[in-house]
């Protein structure tokens, strides 16, 4: 029985690629140094899979930044502003597209389906001249082959690539991106020809958009594309992969009748209904790559249950056509449980990271051909039983409190307009008030202090003194810049979710459970294994300390329940909404304690609310109902004079704007600048927004410093569609990834632009 892995994490078990990238960007190492680190990581991954007995090992899933950007470079779709003059695309152009440079902004970045991974959005139009401009896929295939590993080169499929793109600036928004199919397929054919010459026997196209609600003409584009590629792929086995959700019946029919395709990968973890379609409608003679091992979470597979599913599928497709696979790429999970020395043995026995999932796939494949590792299966069954009956998982009082939430919508008694009037009387802010989103740069010294405190190398007194000094520095800088509503900079936090999870019951933490979010940015999601509660106050000490340093309003900074949920590895033994309600109650306690401590502005970030939106429209209403309800639970008990902010970033918010309004926050700050001010279009189309709103005026994920004039123009565009008295001025997101040398001039220009407009409006 054969086995397959859709994709694998790129950063390395201890973030080796992250550090190599940042060293290269800072000019401390060469391109050759970076390439050496990358080659070592690839080699290690391929050899690990080969050793586990995996037959279909992926290549071209490694990326220096993002797999969609890799496809953009492969087909030479470089926007003109980067001044690329042809030839093989190098690091300068590649990273300028991803991160921007001193003279031009980066391309838009948005969430990859419903994950916390971000991809770089291609900018396309009728004038783009496509050309084969990156030989990465072929080079990596040859690299693996030289190591004795025959791989399956993986590509973003041509139709999904176009459906994930956007019209370039100056191109009509109604431009049909699928009309470019005939122009990009010749490039795919060139790559395929080189791979065939190099000896490839399988090729994988990831067409994940097939799990979404597609129109008839979009489905027809898949048939057209693969009919066109059929002759080029002659002699190759073509695998089309889908993941993250069920494949709708009409898309399933289109997919399983594509010309020249030998096999299909389905997510059978999140796509349970697809199983029924397979059992009734799977074409004979084709390979079924059954994604039974979860690529999105860190729980050990229930091997006995998976084996039953596989045996039922074997009866449908035949023993020689069934391949055991992961449900999606493993890039969305942590790398290797071996590196976790601090997790207790019980919880550790419940988990499987990417390296362990590779072993699970191999073990299931062997079991299907009569080579079952009885000891491995027995240990797995014992761990499953331990998790089900462990007393640390269940807290009856928490479950009762969450159950009692049903039947109320938890909305503040006074409408937002009256609340804003009451808040203005108390806060006395100018028009176009300025603020930042929360975090300030995380310096090397600051990271050292936190690291040494965790390692007990410095005392609690020394730690508090160091953090207090950092907060004072951040407060002083904001006062010098004349920002209106301040933040304390979050120097005590390495990560906005990890910080809260460490102080809530029901969470466990890893030492090296890093997952790539974008580029070199990695996060370490907490593991929610049990019922959630708040044993004690989490932020009141630091927020109160910061407020004492200034007479200006100081925001209390919290992460909202939906974002904590979506940015964690969540327990899979109860519905997600039940866990979210538990977190909401814990955050509610914190909000009320901050208010009692005199904090009059409290920000509850819901950066990931849109990210969790199901991929199918039929499931949107249920998710948005409990997600928005969870947010309202957190602040239903505060006074009218307490101003509740929230923050959202790097997603498409236009389709959920009414749910955002329904959150009933007093002020929302929201990413806007990197996405070409797409957000503003919803207000141009007539949506009325009565609460405070701060669409971001500059992109913080680029080192580029925007000018006062550029920010002034952006605010003017906002004033064309939003009332003056509700508009706030702020960056797109938090500043932790930037340097003070970038942050200070950017904020100076932001405040100057706001003041210039205030003066003009006063006249």
């Amino acid at each position: 029985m054969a086995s397959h892995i859709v994709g694998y994490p790129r950063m390395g078990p201890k973030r080796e690629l992250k550090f190599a990238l940042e060293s290269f960007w800072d000019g401390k190492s060469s391109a050759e140094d970076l390439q050496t680190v990358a080659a070592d990581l690839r080699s290690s991954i391929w050899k690990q899979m080969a050793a586990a007995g995996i037959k279909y090992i992926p290549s071209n899933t490694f990326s220096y930044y993002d797999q969609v950007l890799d496809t953009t470079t492969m087909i030479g779709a470089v926007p003109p502003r980067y001044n690329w003059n042809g030839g093989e695309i190098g690091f300068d152009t590649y990273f300028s597209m991803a991160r921007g440079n001193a003279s031009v902004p980066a391309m838009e970045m948005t969430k990859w389906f419903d994950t916390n991974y971000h991809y770089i959005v291609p900018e396309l139009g009728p004038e783009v001249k496509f050309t084969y401009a990156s030989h990465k896929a072929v080079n990596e295939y040859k690299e693996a082959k030289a190591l004795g590993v025959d791989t399956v080169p993986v590509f973003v499929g041509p139709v999904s690539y176009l459906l994930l793109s956007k019209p370039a600036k100056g191109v009509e928004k109604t431009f049909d991106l699928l009309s470019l199919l005939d122009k990009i397929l010749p490039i795919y054919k060139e790559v395929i020809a080189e791979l065939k010459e190099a000896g490839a026997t399988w090729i994988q196209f990831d067409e994940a958009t097939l799990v979404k609600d597609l129109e008839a003409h979009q489905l027809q584009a898949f048939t057209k594309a693969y009919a066109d590629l059929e002759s080029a792929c002659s002699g190759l086995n073509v695998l089309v992969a889908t993941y993250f959700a069920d494949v709708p019946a009409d898309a399933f029919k289109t997919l399983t009748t594509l010309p020249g395709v030998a096999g299909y990968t389905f997510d059978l973890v999140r796509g349970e209904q697809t199983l029924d379609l397979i059992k009734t409608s799977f074409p004979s003679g084709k390979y079924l790559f059954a994604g039974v091992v979860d690529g999105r979470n860190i729980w050990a597979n229930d091997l006995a249950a998976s084996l039953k599913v596989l045996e039922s599928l074997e009866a449908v497709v035949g023993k020689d056509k069934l391949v055991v696979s992961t449900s999606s790429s493993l890039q969305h999970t942590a790398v290797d449980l071996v590196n976790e020395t601090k997790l207790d043995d019980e919880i550790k026995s419940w988990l499987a990271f990417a390296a362990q999932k590779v072993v699970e796939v191999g073990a299931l494949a062997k079991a299907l051909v009569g080579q079952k590792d009885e000891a491995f299966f027995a240990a797995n069954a014992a761990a499953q039983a331990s998790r089900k009956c462990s007393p640390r998982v269940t807290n009856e009082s928490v479950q009762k409190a969450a159950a009692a939430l049903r039947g109320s919508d938890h909305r503040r008694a006074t409408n937002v307009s009256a609340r804003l009037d009451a808040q203005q009387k108390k806060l006395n802010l100018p028009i176009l008030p300025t603020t930042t989103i929360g975090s300030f740069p995380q310096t090397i010294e600051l990271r050292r202090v936190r690291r040494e405190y965790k390692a007990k190398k410095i005392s609690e007194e020394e730690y508090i003194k160091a953090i207090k000094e950092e907060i004072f520095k951040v407060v002083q800088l904001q006062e010098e810049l004349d920002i209106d509503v301040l933040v304390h900079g979050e120097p005590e936090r390495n990560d906005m979710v990890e910080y809260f999870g460490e102080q809530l019951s029901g969470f466990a933490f890893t030492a090296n459970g890093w997952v790539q979010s974008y580029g070199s940015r990695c996060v370490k999601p907490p593991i929610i294994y049990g019922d959630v509660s708040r044993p004690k106050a989490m932020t009141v000490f630091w927020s109160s300390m910061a407020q004492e340093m200034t007479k200006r309003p100081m925001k209390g900074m919290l992460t909202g329940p939906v974002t904590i949920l979506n940015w964690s590895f969540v327990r899979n033994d109860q519905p997600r909404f039940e866990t979210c309600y538990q977190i909401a109650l814990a955050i509610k306690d914190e909000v009320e304690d901050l208010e009692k401590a005199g904090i009059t502005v409290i920000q509850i970030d819901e950066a990931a609310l849109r990210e969790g939106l199901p991929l199918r429209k039929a499931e949107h209403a249920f998710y948005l109902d409990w997600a928005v309800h969870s947010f309202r639970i957190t602040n239903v008990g505060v006074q009218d004079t307490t101003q509740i902010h929230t923050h959202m970033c790097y997603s498409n918010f236009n389709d959920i704007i009414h749910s955002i309004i329904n959150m009933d926050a007093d002020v929302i700050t929201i990413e806007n600048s990197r996405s070409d001010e797409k957000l503003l279009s919803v207000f141009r189309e007539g949506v009325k927004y009565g609460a405070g709103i701060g669409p971001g005026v500059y992109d913080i994920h680029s080192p580029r410093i925007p000018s006062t004039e550029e920010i002034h123009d952006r605010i003017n565009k906002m004033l064309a569609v939003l009332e003056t008295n509700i508009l706030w001025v702020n960056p797109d997101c938090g500043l932790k990834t930037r340097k003070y040398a970038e942050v200070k001039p950017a904020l100076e220009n932001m405040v100057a632009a706001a003041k210039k407009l205030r003066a003009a409006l006063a006249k």
Side-chain angles (χ1 to χ4, degrees):
M1 183 62 59
S3 50
H4 167 251
I5 305 297
V6 177
Y8 201 80
R10 309 155 180 162
M11 285 289 117
K14 295 189 177 176
R15 296 180 292 165
E16 291 87 343
L17 182 61
K18 167 191 171 66
F19 299 122
L21 282 167
E22 291 173 356
S23 177
F24 174 69
W25 293 336
D26 289 342
K28 296 176 182 175
S29 61
S30 66
E32 290 75 19
D33 294 331
L34 175 58
Q35 289 163 335
T36 298
V37 171
D40 288 345
L41 285 171
R42 289 192 295 268
S43 169
S44 170
I45 291 165
W46 291 326
K47 288 177 180 177
Q48 175 192 347
M49 290 192 205
I54 304 300
K55 180 177 180 180
Y56 300 107
I57 296 171
S59 62
N60 198 39
T61 56
F62 178 89
S63 178
Y64 287 103
Y65 207 94
D66 162 52
Q67 70 265 22
V68 180
L69 181 62
D70 291 348
T71 310
T72 297
T73 57
M74 181 183 84
I75 63 175
V78 181
R81 65 181 178 274
Y82 299 107
N83 296 319
W84 173 64
N85 295 314
E88 188 82 2
I89 292 173
F91 281 156
D92 282 353
T93 301
Y94 181 85
F95 288 128
S96 289
M97 290 192 286
R99 306 176 72 235
N101 57 42
S103 56
V104 292
M107 295 168 72
E108 181 185 348
M109 180 170 73
T110 196
K111 296 290 175 74
W112 177 248
F113 295 84
D114 59 347
T115 75
N116 187 30
Y117 177 75
H118 302 66
Y119 76 95
I120 303 298
V121 182
E123 302 172 11
L124 305 178
E127 304 305 317
V128 177
K129 305 295 183 191
F130 298 101
T131 182
Y132 187 12
S134 171
H135 292 67
K136 173 182 175 294
V138 177
N139 292 340
E140 287 185 15
Y141 174 79
K142 290 177 177 177
E143 183 184 324
K145 196 168 184 183
L147 295 168
V149 182
D150 190 27
T151 61
V152 179
V154 178
F155 298 88
V156 177
V159 183
S160 288
Y161 175 80
L162 293 175
L163 291 176
L164 292 166
S165 302
K166 70 173 186 178
K169 205 164 189 177
V171 175
E172 287 291 328
K173 299 301 178 191
T174 55
F175 174 70
D176 180 13
L177 292 160
L178 290 174
S179 67
L180 299 173
L181 198 53
D182 290 337
K183 293 184 178 181
I184 70 168
L185 287 177
I187 314 300
Y188 277 84
K189 290 176 185 177
E190 285 189 68
V191 184
I192 291 164
E194 288 192 6
L195 285 168
K196 284 168 69 174
E197 190 178 339
T201 56
W202 279 83
I203 188 169
Q204 176 178 320
F205 294 110
D206 285 2
E207 295 284 14
T209 55
L210 279 163
V211 303
K212 301 181 85 173
D213 296 307
L214 298 179
E215 297 174 12
H217 79 280
Q218 294 171 319
L219 290 174
Q220 288 163 10
F222 288 94
T223 303
K224 179 178 185 290
Y226 285 88
D228 195 338
L229 288 173
E230 186 175 13
S231 61
C233 291
S234 175
L236 277 176
N237 291 290
V238 175
L239 172 63
V240 177
T242 65
Y243 36 76
F244 298 153
D246 278 305
V247 177
D250 54 350
F252 184 88
K253 185 177 180 181
T254 297
L255 171 61
T256 53
T257 55
L258 290 178
V261 174
Y264 317 94
T265 300
F266 295 104
D267 183 336
L268 300 182
V269 176
R270 290 180 170 231
E272 294 175 2
Q273 293 170 26
T274 303
L275 203 54
D276 296 331
L277 289 171
I278 292 169
K279 289 177 179 178
T280 58
S281 311
F282 194 80
S284 62
K286 302 290 186 180
Y287 287 89
L288 170 61
F289 287 65
V292 294
V293 173
D294 194 350
R296 292 276 299 269
N297 216 327
I298 44 67
W299 303 107
N301 187 273
D302 185 338
L303 295 177
S306 292
L307 192 56
K308 281 185 181 177
V309 170
L310 290 165
E311 286 168 346
S312 71
L313 292 172
E314 197 174 54
V316 175
V317 303
K319 196 180 277 285
D320 61 330
K321 296 296 183 182
L322 182 63
V323 180
V324 184
S325 184
T326 53
S327 66
S328 67
S329 171
L330 296 173
Q331 77 176 80
H332 308 290
T333 189
V335 180
D336 196 342
L337 199 55
V338 168
N339 297 313
E340 302 306 325
T341 54
K342 293 182 181 177
L343 279 172
D344 69 66
D345 289 342
E346 183 181 35
I347 289 180
K348 201 170 179 179
S349 74
W350 302 343
L351 307 178
F353 291 0
Q356 288 68 47
K357 289 176 185 292
V358 169
V359 173
E360 288 178 340
V361 168
L364 285 165
K366 288 175 183 174
L368 278 170
V369 292
Q371 299 172 20
K372 185 177 180 183
D373 185 333
E374 296 292 351
F376 186 69
F377 271 71
N380 176 267
Q384 298 292 325
S386 156
R387 187 174 164 218
K388 282 177 184 171
C389 63
S390 174
R392 67 199 299 181
V393 170
T394 306
N395 182 324
E396 283 189 25
S397 63
V398 170
Q399 292 196 348
K400 283 179 184 175
L405 294 170
R406 291 163 197 169
S408 169
D409 67 356
H410 296 88
R411 197 179 291 276
R412 290 168 79 179
T414 311
N415 68 45
V416 69
S417 178
R419 296 198 309 263
L420 288 173
D421 288 344
Q423 292 155 14
Q424 179 58 15
K425 284 174 187 172
K426 187 166 187 175
L427 298 172
N428 194 29
L429 297 172
I431 58 168
L432 306 180
T434 53
T435 190
T436 63
I437 304 306
S439 60
F440 265 66
Q442 300 264 318
T443 62
I444 292 171
E445 175 62 18
L446 185 55
R447 290 194 180 101
R448 181 192 63 77
V449 167
R450 284 200 306 260
R451 191 168 56 247
E452 290 187 353
Y453 178 60
K454 277 197 169 184
K456 299 183 178 175
K457 292 181 179 178
I458 60 173
S459 67
E460 184 173 25
E461 186 180 349
E462 290 172 305
Y463 173 71
I464 290 172
K465 181 174 180 288
I467 298 297
K468 185 176 181 179
E469 287 172 359
E470 183 69 20
I471 291 172
F472 182 74
K473 182 176 81 173
V474 169
V475 171
Q476 202 170 37
L477 172 61
Q478 291 172 94
E479 288 192 327
E480 286 171 8
L481 293 168
D482 205 17
I483 291 172
D484 300 303
V485 176
L486 312 189
V487 297
H488 75 290
E490 304 176 9
E492 78 283 14
R493 308 177 194 181
N494 177 58
D495 176 85
M496 62 187 284
V497 173
E498 183 180 4
Y499 176 80
F500 290 96
E502 284 177 336
Q503 300 181 77
L504 294 168
S505 63
F507 282 75
F509 289 86
T510 63
N512 289 291
W514 298 101
V515 178
Q516 183 186 22
S517 178
Y518 62 86
S520 68
R521 168 81 171 135
C522 297
V523 294
K524 199 164 51 167
I527 298 165
I528 306 177
Y529 67 84
D531 291 333
V532 177
S533 62
R534 186 197 73 146
K536 61 180 182 179
M538 303 180 285
T539 65
V540 175
F541 175 76
W542 300 115
S543 293
S544 300
M545 176 190 289
Q547 184 63 80
E548 288 169 3
M549 296 176 183
T550 181
K551 292 181 179 177
R552 301 182 186 215
M554 174 64 62
K555 284 198 272 194
M557 299 301 304
L558 304 175
T559 302
V562 185
T563 297
I564 290 176
L565 183 88
N566 285 335
W567 287 357
S568 298
F569 291 125
V570 183
R571 57 190 294 189
N572 57 0
D573 59 345
Q574 71 176 16
R576 288 172 72 87
F577 70 84
E578 289 186 15
T579 303
C580 198
Y581 283 156
Q582 292 177 2
I583 302 168
L585 287 171
I587 300 300
K588 179 177 185 287
D589 290 343
E590 188 71 13
V591 168
E592 291 170 5
D593 280 351
L594 281 167
E595 185 182 58
K596 285 173 193 168
I599 304 299
T600 55
V601 181
I602 302 171
Q603 181 169 308
I604 308 166
D605 285 346
E606 284 295 14
L609 188 140
R610 173 61 175 78
E611 171 187 314
L613 191 70
L615 299 175
R616 306 284 294 283
K617 289 176 184 174
E619 299 167 21
H620 286 189
F622 178 66
Y623 168 78
L624 290 168
D625 180 63
W626 64 254
V628 169
H629 186 192
S630 295
F631 176 81
R632 288 202 307 262
I633 288 166
T634 65
N635 58 87
V636 67
V638 300
Q639 299 171 29
D640 288 353
T641 50
T642 298
Q643 190 166 84
I644 298 296
H645 288 221
T646 191
H647 171 67
M648 295 182 177
C649 55
Y650 300 102
S651 287
N652 181 7
F653 301 106
N654 294 25
D655 55 349
I656 64 161
I657 191 67
H658 294 289
S659 294
I660 292 173
I661 293 169
N662 199 28
M663 290 170 73
D664 201 28
D666 297 311
V667 178
I668 179 170
T669 53
I670 195 162
E671 180 270 324
N672 170 67
S673 61
R674 183 152 183 176
S675 58
D676 288 335
E677 299 160 349
K678 212 186 310 183
L679 172 71
L680 299 185
S681 65
V682 80
F683 302 113
R684 292 190 194 102
E685 290 160 10
V687 171
K688 298 297 180 189
Y689 194 79
I693 184 167
V697 297
Y698 77 91
D699 175 24
I700 64 86
H701 287 102
S702 170
R704 182 174 167 272
I705 298 163
S707 67
T708 300
E709 292 70 27
E710 182 183 327
I711 295 173
H712 179 278
D713 290 347
R714 254 203 186 111
I715 301 171
N716 253 332
K717 287 180 185 176
M718 297 171 191
L719 287 169
V721 293
L722 293 165
E723 297 294 331
T724 308
N725 63 330
I726 65 169
L727 186 61
W728 284 64
V729 177
N730 46 264
D732 264 352
C733 203
L735 304 169
K736 68 184 293 181
T737 60
R738 300 268 55 88
K739 296 171 181 166
Y740 274 104
E742 299 156 351
V743 165
K744 188 174 178 183
L747 291 179
E748 278 176 345
N749 294 346
M750 183 186 83
V751 173
K755 287 182 174 180
K756 186 176 177 183
L757 276 159
R758 282 177 201 156
L761 289 167
K763 292 177 184 177

